[in-house]
């Protein structure tokens, strides 16, 4: 997001980062990663299977990927559409999203669960998606804002 704000949105590094994100998307449209990526200093290939859903995706990682992709100009991509659908399907009847595994790590070995992340980041990603779609008023939003 910072690189895009500084005018580097189309740079090779940003494009490679967005390609990396798209390559890690799970079959069900979500993204996942777990704390082992921090510890091992490499992407955890099994995602969040133990802490998210059965395909290794979770709502916080999905929201983070969506925020980056939309900010990078990929708001109309199939990856983003699938990720948005994933977030919508995972939302609970209460309006919350499920509490999943560890969402933060420091010192490579101390895991933290920020309980508000499960709601803050999906709402932020859905809001950014809506703003992306509304930039062109001829497009129809693909999700309902009715929460009842």
């Amino acid at each position: 997001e910072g690189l895009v704000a500084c005018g580097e949105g189309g740079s090779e590094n940003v494009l490679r980062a967005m390609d990396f994100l798209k390559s890690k998307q799970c079959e069900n449209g979500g993204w996942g990663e777990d704390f082992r990526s921090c510890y091992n200093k490499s992407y955890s290939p099994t995602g969040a299977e133990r802490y998210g859903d059965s395909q290794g995706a979770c709502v916080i990682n999905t929201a983070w990927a969506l925020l980056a992709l939309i900010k990078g100009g990929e708001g109309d991509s199939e990856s983003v559409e699938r990720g948005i659908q994933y977030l919508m399907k995972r939302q609970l009847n209460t309006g919350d999203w499920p509490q999943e595994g560890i969402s933060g790590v420091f010192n490579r070995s101390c895991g933290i669960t920020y309980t508000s992340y499960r709601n803050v980041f999906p709402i932020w990603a859905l809001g950014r998606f809506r703003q992306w779609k509304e930039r062109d008023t001829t497009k129809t939003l693909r999700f309902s804002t009715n929460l009842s």
Side-chain angles (χ1 to χ4, degrees):
E1 195 163 320
L3 290 172
V4 172
C6 293
E8 295 293 322
S11 72
E12 181 181 338
N13 288 334
V14 171
L15 296 175
R16 281 182 35 224
M18 291 194 311
D19 286 343
F20 173 83
L21 286 173
K22 289 188 282 186
S23 77
K24 302 303 180 194
Q25 189 170 27
C26 300
E27 283 276 323
N28 62 9
W31 279 266
E33 182 180 28
D34 68 28
F35 66 91
R36 290 177 292 176
S37 294
C38 241
Y39 184 77
N40 296 331
K41 294 187 177 183
S42 65
Y43 184 82
S44 177
T46 57
E49 289 172 349
R50 291 165 53 184
Y51 309 104
D53 68 24
S54 63
Q55 290 189 23
C58 59
V59 297
I60 295 170
N61 293 112
T62 298
W64 286 340
L66 288 169
L67 286 166
L69 289 170
I70 296 167
K71 190 67 166 184
E74 293 281 331
D76 290 323
S77 70
E78 181 183 341
S79 290
V80 168
E81 294 282 345
R82 290 177 53 227
I84 291 295
Q85 292 301 316
Y86 175 83
L87 286 182
M88 291 170 50
K89 287 177 187 172
R90 297 281 289 159
Q91 191 172 22
L92 305 172
N93 290 335
T94 62
D96 288 335
W97 278 268
Q99 182 64 53
E100 297 169 324
I102 296 168
S103 54
V105 175
F106 68 94
N107 293 336
R108 287 186 57 209
S109 62
C110 185
I112 304 170
T113 298
Y114 299 100
T115 57
S116 64
Y117 277 24
R118 68 189 170 116
N119 292 318
V120 170
F121 287 104
I123 290 169
W124 188 354
L126 291 170
R128 179 167 288 170
F129 178 71
R130 182 181 179 102
Q131 286 177 328
W132 174 269
K133 291 297 187 181
E134 287 178 344
R135 82 194 190 292
D136 179 353
T137 57
T138 63
K139 295 184 180 190
T140 305
L141 294 178
R142 296 186 183 186
F143 65 95
S144 170
T145 58
N146 181 1
L147 296 177
S148 57

